[in-house]
Amino acid sequence: MDVLNALGWVKFSIIYENNNGLIRVQELLKEHRYRITLRQLPRTEDYRPMLKDAKKAGVTHVVLDVERPNIFKVLKQAQQIGMLTSYHNYFVTSLDLHTVDLEDFRHGGTNITALRVVDPENAMVQRVIQDWVFGQTRYGRNANSPTAPTLMNNNITFLETEVALMYDAVQLFAKALHDLHRSRHIDLTRLECDGDATWVHGNSLINYMKWVEINGLTGLIKFDTEGFRRDVTLEIVEMTKDGLVRVGRWDPTNGANYTRTYQEVQQGIVESLQNKTLIISTILADPYTMLRETSERMTGNDRYEGFCVDLIHEIALVLGFNYTLKLASDGKHGKYHENTDKWDGMIGELLDQKADLAIGDLTITYEREQVVDFTMPWMNLGISILYRKPTRKPPNLFSFLSPLSLDVWLYMATAYLGVSLLLFVLARLSPYEWSVSAVLRPDDSNKTNTENQFSLHNSLWFTMGSLLQQGTDQQPKAVSTRIVAGIWWFFTLIMISSYTANLAAFLTVERMESPIEGAEDLAQQTKIKYGCLYGGSTWTFFSTSKMPTYQRMFNFMESQRPSVYSKSNEMGVERVLRGDGMYAYLMESSSIEYITERHCDLTQVGGLLDSKSYGIALPPGSPYRTLINSAVLKLQEMGRLHILKRRWWKEKRGGGRCEDDESKSSSKANELGLSNVGGVFVVLLAGMGLASVVAVCEFVWKSRKLATEEHASVWAEMGKEIRFALACSDSNKPVRKKSLDHENGPSYLSMNTYGSTFTASQYSFASKDPLS
Ligand code: GLU
C-alpha cells in the first residue's frame, strides 16, 4: 500500500489467483480511496479472454498477485493482447519477480514494480549461491531439487525468497542451539511425535531464537516477543531496459522511500523513447494536416503536410523518436457518446490504445481533459463568426451630417442658442452697447432715444452669420460683447475646419455595411441562419453555455431543419460562400484567419466568444507528457511555432491573397464625437464666463461713475439700470440725462445713456446730420 501510494495509484485492477491472494490484498480493498476492480485468473492456462476484458475496460494499472510460476505466463499473454505497453503499469506482489525471466518485457516500456527481500548483489548471497552451485557440480547433487538456486537465461543465478528464508531459518536455529548449548548442557532425548513426552530445553531454545540477532540472506534477522520478524527492509525494484533495478527501499517505520531523482526518472523515459515508433492520430483539416499536393505517388508520412505535420516532425527531432501518421477512422475530433459510453474521433483512438499521440485542431476542453492528458497549448484561439464581407452602403441623402456625431450637432445647437442669448443679455447690461438712435435736439433732450443693436433677433442673426462664415451689420463695441464674439468666432473656426476636413474623408471613403456585427446581432434575428461543426468543441461550448445569448443561439441551431451544422469546417465555409449573406458559420478564430487569407469575400465578424487552446493529446498517464511539453515549450521559445504559423497561414497554399483588400477596407472615416471636439466647447464656455465677468465690471464701473455725478447711491443707480436692462423688452430707451457722455467720441452718432455730459460740439455735429 505504501508503494502504491508513493506511485500515486488510485484506480487499478487487482488480478489474483486464489483466496490467499485475496487475503494478501485485503488491506488495499479496505481503503476507500482506491477505485479497485477485482479479476481472478481463470483455472485454464489461457488468461487472454480475462486480460482482453480488462483492456476493453481501459485498465492501465494492475496489481498482480499470482504465484511465481505464473507471473511469466500472465505477463506474456498480456503482452500478446497489447496490455504490456508503455501506458501500462504493474505492481507484482510476489517477492520473487527477480527470479522470473523478464527478458521479453524489458523493451516494451511497461512500468513493472515489485518488492524483494533478497538482494542478489549482496556479498553473502553471492557466496551462498556460489557454494551451492559449486557443491552441486562437485558432489553431483540433484540440480532440480526445489531448493536449488534458479539459473536464468543470462547465466545469472538467483535465490528464491523461500529458499533464502529457509537458509536463514536453519542458520538462526543453529545459532540458537549453539548458544543454548554453550550456556548449559543439553542432552538429547528420543521423542515420539504422538507421545506426551516433551523436550525440556524446547522453551529455552525458542527463547534463544527470539533473542538471537544474525545477518542472513534476507537481511537482519530479529524477532519480537511474539515471534514475528522485526525491522525487515524490502527493496523496491522496477524494470528498465537493463532489467530489474533497485529504485527505493521500504521499511516499517519510514514506508516507501524512492532513491531515484526526478531527473533520473525523466532520463529513463527519454531513453525509452529513443528510436521508438509512436503512432500519431490526426484528421484532415486545413492547414493543420492536409494531403500533399503532388503528382507523385506518396506513401507513409510523406502523404501529409501542414502545420501539425511539421510540428510533430520538429518534436520528434528534439526527442529522437520515430512516428507514423494515421488518420482517425471517423475523421472526428472527439465527442463522448453517452449511450455507448465511448469516445469517437482522435480521443477514442487514444483511449482504445490505437494511437500514442493525437495532434490536429484539437481543442483542450474540460470534458476531454478528464479522460486523456493534454500537453502545453501550442496555439491560442477563440470562437468567432465567419461571414461574408460587408457590402457597399448606398449613399445617404443626408450624408453631410455624418462628419459630426449627433451629440456634437446637439451641443453645437445648444452653444449657438446659449451664445446668442448671452450676447443679448451682456449687450443690454453693458453701457457701451447703447447708442443714440434719434435726432437729438438740445431743447428736446428728453425725447432722445438710445438704441441697443443686439436685440434678441439681431443676436441670433449675428451668431448665425459668424457660424456660417458670413458677416452681419452689427458689430460689438463693448469689451464683454467683443469677448463673446471673439470666442464664438474661434469656436466656429475650429468646428468648421473639423467639419470640412472630416467631410472630405467621408466623401472619399467607401461606406460598408454588414447586417451583423457580432454574436448578439446573430442571436437577435432569425433571417440569417448560422451553424457550427457538429460534435466539436464549438458545439460543446454552445450546448453547455449558461449565457442566455449562447443558449438562445444553441436552441436556434438545434431547431433548424435542414440542419445548420456541418460535418467539417470545409463544408461550413462552403456554405457561407454559397449562402450569399444568409448563412454565418461559428468557427475557431485560427481557422477563420486561414480562410480569410484565401477567400477575400469572407471575414471574421465580431470578437472572440471565448478563449481556449489547441494541445497534443496523449493517453491517460502517458509517460511522454512531460517530455513533449518541454519540446513544445522549446519550439515556442525558439520561435519555431511562429515561423510555422506564418508558413502555413500566409505563405503556402495561396496565403496572403487578400492582404491588399484588408488594408483598403481598414481605412475608414469616423464621425467626430464629443471626445474629438470637446475642448473647443470648453474654451467657448470659459470665454462666455470671462465675457460675463467683464460685462458685470463694465456695468458696475459705469453705475458708480453715474452715481458720483448724480450724487446718488451706487446701489440705487445699479438697481435702476438692472431693472431696466432686464425688464425692458425694447431695444430703445429714452436718454435719462440732459447731457450725453462725450466719451464715445464723435465718430459714433451715439451716446451712452449713462453718459453724464453732452458736449456742444457733439450736439451740433449730431444735429447737422441727423441721418448719418
Ligand atoms: N477544434 C475543435 C475540436 O477540437 C473542432 C472545431 C470546432 O469545434 O469548431 O473539437
Side-chain angles (χ1 to χ4, degrees):
M1 195 191 276
D2 282 344
V3 176
L4 293 192
N5 289 344
L7 290 171
W9 287 24
V10 177
K11 188 178 166 206
F12 51 89
S13 192
I14 299 178
I15 297 181
Y16 68 100
E17 198 170 3
N18 49 37
N19 291 346
N20 286 345
L22 267 189
I23 294 167
R24 262 193 297 272
V25 296
Q26 61 177 322
E27 288 302 318
L28 291 179
L29 295 174
K30 278 190 218 155
E31 188 69 45
H32 295 298
R33 240 165 0 106
Y34 300 134
R35 286 184 282 150
I36 302 176
T37 47
L38 276 172
R39 286 165 211 273
Q40 188 169 13
L41 276 194
R43 302 233 173 276
T44 57
E45 293 277 287
D46 187 7
Y47 312 132
R48 278 168 283 238
M50 185 274 287
L51 291 169
K52 268 188 196 158
D53 195 47
K55 185 183 174 192
K56 232 169 144 189
V59 172
T60 51
H61 292 71
V62 178
V63 172
L64 189 63
D65 187 281
V66 296
E67 303 295 337
R68 182 192 165 272
N70 288 333
I71 295 176
F72 180 81
K73 274 191 253 166
V74 175
L75 291 179
K76 190 75 203 167
Q77 295 191 12
Q79 188 180 39
Q80 285 163 356
I81 63 140
M83 272 277 284
L84 214 67
T85 67
S86 40
Y87 307 110
H88 290 98
N89 303 272
Y90 287 79
F91 178 78
V92 183
T93 57
S94 164
L95 296 177
D96 280 323
L97 186 68
H98 59 289
T99 64
V100 177
D101 185 4
L102 297 173
E103 179 65 25
D104 294 359
F105 317 123
R106 280 197 342 217
H107 301 279
T110 318
N111 249 325
I112 303 179
T113 310
L115 296 166
R116 71 181 177 200
V117 71
V118 182
D119 177 7
E121 282 148 33
N122 181 304
M124 190 172 168
V125 176
Q126 298 271 338
R127 204 186 58 238
V128 170
I129 293 174
Q130 260 172 23
D131 287 354
W132 207 315
V133 174
F134 178 73
Q136 279 181 349
T137 43
R138 182 135 182 226
Y139 304 113
R141 289 204 192 131
N142 184 4
N144 293 329
S145 93
T147 52
T150 315
L151 186 69
M152 309 279 287
N153 284 351
N154 49 9
N155 267 344
I156 299 173
T157 318
F158 290 109
L159 270 188
E160 268 182 48
T161 307
E162 211 178 317
V163 176
L165 285 170
M166 202 180 291
Y167 179 93
D168 283 350
V170 172
Q171 293 288 333
L172 179 85
F173 181 80
K175 175 98 172 40
L177 199 60
H178 186 256
D179 288 356
L180 180 68
H181 182 59
R182 266 214 309 219
S183 69
R184 72 183 80 151
H185 173 73
I186 47 169
D187 52 344
L188 298 176
T189 6
R190 196 182 164 80
L191 298 171
E192 296 299 329
C193 284
D194 47 2
D196 289 336
T198 54
W199 188 44
V200 284
H201 306 294
N203 267 337
S204 310
L205 181 61
I206 286 175
N207 284 337
Y208 263 93
M209 283 203 293
K210 283 184 191 166
W211 177 69
V212 150
E213 275 186 25
I214 60 163
N215 257 324
L217 299 183
T218 58
L220 180 70
I221 302 166
K222 58 181 189 183
F223 295 90
D224 61 13
T225 48
E226 305 278 303
F228 288 106
R229 223 178 131 169
R230 266 174 46 199
D231 299 345
V232 194
T233 308
L234 301 179
E235 284 184 348
I236 306 171
V237 288
E238 223 164 65
M239 204 186 57
T240 66
K241 268 187 185 164
D242 310 317
L244 280 183
V245 292
R246 182 174 51 225
V247 292
R249 238 170 227 295
W250 176 91
D251 64 59
T253 37
N254 298 319
N257 230 329
Y258 273 82
T259 45
R260 278 179 317 182
T261 60
Y262 180 74
Q263 271 75 20
E264 280 167 353
V265 177
Q266 290 305 315
Q267 191 52 37
I269 302 173
V270 171
E271 277 164 22
S272 75
L273 203 53
Q274 297 304 308
N275 298 327
K276 198 173 167 136
T277 303
L278 299 182
I279 312 281
I280 317 279
S281 177
T282 185
I283 56 168
L284 291 179
D286 294 358
Y288 306 98
T289 309
M290 305 176 279
L291 287 175
R292 194 182 286 277
E293 282 177 339
T294 167
S295 52
E296 287 167 43
R297 199 183 148 78
M298 291 287 178
T299 52
N301 294 345
D302 293 342
R303 283 172 296 168
Y304 309 107
E305 62 175 6
F307 181 93
C308 287
V309 179
D310 284 358
L311 176 63
I312 199 67
H313 183 70
E314 303 233 357
I315 293 175
L317 286 184
V318 173
L319 298 177
F321 63 84
N322 302 321
Y323 62 93
T324 309
L325 288 169
K326 172 179 170 292
L327 293 182
S329 48
D330 55 8
K332 293 184 177 161
H333 295 82
K335 179 178 184 294
Y336 176 66
H337 296 274
E338 259 168 37
N339 44 352
T340 53
D341 189 24
K342 286 217 138 255
W343 283 80
D344 65 13
M346 289 185 271
I347 302 288
E349 303 251 307
L350 290 181
L351 294 176
D352 294 344
Q353 288 157 19
K354 290 184 186 153
D356 299 296
L357 292 179
I359 191 167
D361 57 337
L362 186 64
T363 313
I364 304 174
T365 64
Y366 169 75
E367 208 186 5
R368 289 174 183 165
E369 176 70 37
Q370 303 297 305
V371 291
V372 294
D373 284 348
F374 277 101
T375 60
M376 302 279 302
W378 46 262
M379 192 176 278
N380 298 319
L381 52 119
I383 299 172
S384 197
I385 304 166
L386 181 74
Y387 190 57
R388 179 189 72 172
K389 273 226 172 108
T391 46
R392 195 173 301 166
K393 206 173 171 179
N396 183 351
L397 209 56
F398 295 100
S399 57
F400 64 86
L401 290 173
S402 318
L404 300 182
S405 71
L406 180 65
D407 284 6
V408 176
W409 282 120
L410 290 179
Y411 274 99
M412 266 179 73
T414 316
Y416 164 68
L417 290 176
V419 171
S420 307
L421 208 66
L422 190 78
L423 187 63
F424 166 68
V425 172
L426 295 194
R428 289 191 80 86
L429 206 61
S430 173
Y432 303 105
E433 282 298 345
W434 292 96
S435 48
V436 177
S437 63
V439 179
L440 301 174
R441 268 172 250 123
D443 56 332
D444 196 16
S445 60
N446 278 348
K447 284 180 187 164
T448 303
N449 271 0
T450 56
E451 190 187 45
N452 192 326
Q453 56 176 340
F454 285 110
S455 62
L456 188 58
H457 183 252
N458 278 351
S459 301
L460 285 166
W461 180 239
F462 173 79
T463 37
M464 173 64 77
S466 29
L467 180 64
L468 299 178
Q469 312 274 281
Q470 306 303 316
T472 49
D473 288 345
Q474 293 78 27
Q475 290 303 329
K477 284 177 289 211
V479 177
S480 52
T481 46
R482 280 181 180 179
I483 291 177
V484 173
I487 291 290
W488 179 246
W489 288 339
F490 172 74
F491 173 80
T492 53
L493 173 76
I494 302 295
M495 289 311 294
I496 298 296
S497 327
S498 310
Y499 174 83
T500 316
N502 211 27
L503 183 66
F506 263 83
L507 294 180
T508 47
V509 168
E510 267 180 39
R511 306 300 294 165
M512 303 301 238
E513 176 184 54
S514 176
I516 49 166
E517 299 286 346
E520 281 288 340
D521 291 354
L522 266 189
Q524 274 160 14
Q525 56 83 55
T526 51
K527 205 169 133 218
I528 300 170
K529 305 270 181 271
Y530 49 92
C532 64
L533 178 80
Y534 182 74
S537 58
T538 304
W539 181 85
T540 315
F541 168 82
F542 282 100
S543 65
T544 55
S545 178
K546 296 272 175 289
M547 302 253 298
T549 307
Y550 303 147
Q551 281 177 343
R552 196 170 341 133
M553 288 173 80
F554 182 67
N555 292 339
F556 173 83
M557 292 194 282
E558 287 285 295
S559 65
Q560 290 304 298
R561 298 286 173 277
S563 170
V564 285
Y565 296 126
S566 66
K567 284 198 184 124
S568 70
N569 276 340
E570 252 169 47
M571 289 164 82
V573 173
E574 197 54 39
R575 211 161 154 182
V576 179
L577 283 170
R578 279 189 285 107
D580 194 25
M582 296 314 288
Y583 185 80
Y585 189 59
L586 293 153
M587 199 181 186
E588 285 165 331
S589 56
S590 51
S591 304
I592 293 184
E593 211 180 305
Y594 177 80
I595 298 295
T596 52
E597 285 280 341
R598 284 149 186 87
H599 295 279
C600 304
D601 40 355
L602 297 185
T603 188
Q604 174 179 331
V605 173
L608 305 185
L609 310 193
D610 64 350
S611 165
K612 48 201 180 188
S613 319
Y614 292 148
I616 300 173
L618 304 116
S622 170
Y624 310 130
R625 181 179 168 177
T626 319
L627 292 180
I628 295 181
N629 265 347
S630 354
V632 170
L633 272 184
K634 189 171 174 188
L635 293 177
Q636 204 165 38
E637 281 169 20
M638 280 161 53
R640 290 298 303 165
L641 294 186
H642 186 72
I643 293 172
L644 286 185
K645 172 129 195 230
R646 206 179 50 224
R647 180 190 300 167
W648 289 106
W649 263 253
K650 304 249 178 220
E651 292 164 13
K652 294 227 177 190
R653 302 240 184 165
R657 197 180 285 164
C658 308
E659 254 164 26
D660 287 345
D661 268 38
E662 286 284 297
S663 55
K664 233 189 267 168
S665 66
S666 63
S667 70
K668 50 179 189 173
N670 287 326
E671 56 185 19
L672 294 177
L674 202 59
S675 49
N676 306 95
V677 289
V680 53
F681 282 92
V682 175
V683 173
L684 183 66
L685 268 179
M688 296 303 108
L690 178 69
S692 308
V693 172
V694 173
V696 170
C697 293
E698 285 173 343
F699 176 76
V700 174
W701 172 253
K702 273 294 173 186
S703 300
R704 199 186 61 86
K705 209 169 162 195
L706 209 55
T708 325
E709 283 168 10
E710 287 187 354
H711 306 292
S713 127
V714 178
W715 293 110
E717 205 57 48
M718 272 166 60
K720 257 188 247 166
E721 286 306 324
I722 199 107
R723 265 197 303 280
F724 176 79
L726 296 180
C728 181
S729 58
D730 204 340
S731 293
N732 294 321
K733 60 176 176 180
V735 176
R736 281 177 41 229
K737 309 295 297 176
K738 51 185 179 301
S739 55
L740 292 174
D741 194 346
H742 66 277
E743 283 171 21
N744 286 327
S747 53
Y748 298 99
L749 186 63
S750 61
M751 285 286 165
N752 197 289
T753 179
Y754 314 134
S756 49
T757 352
F758 186 63
T759 62
S761 65
Q762 283 169 327
Y763 173 73
S764 59
F765 172 72
S767 61
K768 265 180 225 158
D769 189 4
L771 298 175
S772 65

